[in-house]
């Protein structure tokens, strides 16, 4: 469902999730969307509530940024916890499923896909508020982060199957 929704986007795709730990197929789907000209935005929290998950998700940022994905880190409140995907002005997904392997494999998550244009427009308005409270991650700054931070992120990414 997530892959189909991301592939359906033609112009704009916004992903809001507190946790972003992907398998290769979903990562390829997201980066491919950006590379084919879709304006892809990922909004997740700057706040940390799960140490390994936070560092694991940040290990994906460089690949996303290089593909042209806009990465935003929400600054307040402490944790951005909504889960939504909006494709163009046509389709929206909201629910409890995060973009992480635990949600896909272990948890019994529920998501709702909406094709109602009014509801999709309302969700775009909400997502715009999240973006306004976020800081953009710039590729030039991101690649300059300390080596110990990169190492921690990559080790955390290796543990994602256990998280």
């Amino acid at each position: 469902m997530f892959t189909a929704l991301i592939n359906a986007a033609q112009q704009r795709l916004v992903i809001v999730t507190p946790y972003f730990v992907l398998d290769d197929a979903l990562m390829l789907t997201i980066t491919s969307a950006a590379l084919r000209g879709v304006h892809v935005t990922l909004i997740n929290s700057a706040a940390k509530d799960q140490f390994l998950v936070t560092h694991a998700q940040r290990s994906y940022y460089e690949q996303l940024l290089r593909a042209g994905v806009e990465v935003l880190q929400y600054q307040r409140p402490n944790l951005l916890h909504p889960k939504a995907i909006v494709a163009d002005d046509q389709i929206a997904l909201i629910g409890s499923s995060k973009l992480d392997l635990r949600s896909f494999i272990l948890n019994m998550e529920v998501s709702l896909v909406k094709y109602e244009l009014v509801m999709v427009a309302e969700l775009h308005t909400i997502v715009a508020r999240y973006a306004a409270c976020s800081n953009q991650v710039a590729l030039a700054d991101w690649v300059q982060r300390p080596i110990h931070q990169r190492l921690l992120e990559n080790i955390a990414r290796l543990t994602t199957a256990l998280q």
Side-chain angles (χ1 to χ4, degrees):
M1 179 174 60
F2 287 89
T3 302
L5 182 60
I6 293 164
N7 282 329
Q10 304 262 326
Q11 299 169 351
R12 174 170 62 158
L13 177 72
V14 181
I15 301 168
V16 179
T17 184
Y19 310 114
F20 184 83
V21 180
L22 305 177
D23 62 8
D24 291 339
L26 199 50
M27 185 65 166
L28 180 62
T29 302
I30 292 168
T31 55
S32 293
L35 291 169
R36 67 180 158 83
V38 176
H39 183 259
V40 180
T41 303
L42 167 68
I43 305 174
N44 66 11
S45 283
K48 302 173 193 173
D49 74 329
Q50 294 190 28
F51 182 81
L52 286 175
V53 174
T54 298
H55 289 288
Q57 77 185 11
R58 292 177 180 178
S59 74
Y60 294 92
Y61 285 3
E62 185 172 343
Q63 185 179 354
L64 292 166
L65 292 165
R66 288 192 186 281
V69 174
E70 178 183 35
V71 177
L72 302 176
Q73 290 186 322
Y74 186 75
Q75 299 300 309
R76 53 175 192 215
N78 292 336
L79 181 68
L80 179 69
H81 209 262
K83 295 82 148 179
I85 299 177
V86 187
D88 300 323
D89 297 324
Q90 307 289 320
I91 307 169
L93 179 142
I94 55 174
S96 63
S97 186
K98 301 154 223 49
L99 283 177
D100 68 356
L101 299 174
R102 185 175 197 86
S103 287
F104 295 153
I105 297 169
L106 296 175
N107 296 345
M108 300 296 285
E109 305 286 2
V110 177
S111 294
L112 172 70
V113 177
K114 292 291 284 185
Y115 295 92
E116 182 183 342
L117 299 182
V118 172
M119 190 283 223
V120 173
E122 289 174 4
L123 191 53
H124 268 304
T125 301
I126 293 167
V127 168
R129 281 190 233 133
Y130 298 151
C133 296
S134 301
N135 292 334
Q136 186 170 3
V137 178
L139 178 59
D141 296 333
W142 192 251
V143 297
Q144 297 298 321
R145 69 196 189 288
I147 190 75
H148 69 275
Q149 185 176 345
R150 291 183 207 192
L151 182 61
L152 177 59
E153 292 161 358
N154 289 329
I155 290 170
R157 186 171 179 167
L158 290 173
T159 68
T160 56
L162 306 173
Q163 297 175 28

